Amino acid sequence: MSPFLFAVYIDDLSVQLQSVIVGCRLIIIINHFLFADDVIIFFPSANGLQELLDVCTSFAQSHNVVFNTTKSQ
């Protein structure tokens, strides 16, 4: 999928992740980056990270997206 199409398709995930008020505070709260065909989520605690993963799981189920867990760390 081209980066532009990915951005259009995945924009809803970005909006959902932004609505969760958890993340790293750097003047604003940041909890994810989207670049090309990659999604990076981060949070300083396991509980917050699980909350973000739950949002991603819900999005994947409703939008028929498959995340490659072998590339996850």
Side-chain angles (χ1 to χ4, degrees):
M1 186 179 315
S2 77
F4 176 75
L5 290 177
F6 173 80
V8 169
Y9 192 77
I10 212 74
D11 185 60
D12 190 37
L13 174 60
S14 182
V15 169
Q16 289 179 25
L17 288 171
Q18 288 174 353
S19 71
V20 179
I21 310 299
V22 297
C24 299
R25 187 172 302 275
L26 305 168
I27 300 174
I28 61 171
I29 295 175
I30 299 173
N31 60 15
H32 71 285
F33 289 128
L34 303 174
F35 181 75
D37 63 349
D38 293 323
V39 177
I40 302 166
I41 60 171
F42 48 90
F43 191 78
S45 75
N47 290 337
L49 187 57
Q50 185 60 55
E51 189 172 345
L52 295 175
L53 287 172
D54 292 343
V55 170
C56 291
T57 300
S58 174
F59 176 85
Q61 291 171 344
S62 65
H63 290 78
N64 295 320
V65 172
V66 177
F67 293 110
N68 186 351
T69 57
T70 61
K71 293 173 68 177
S72 301
Q73 296 181 6

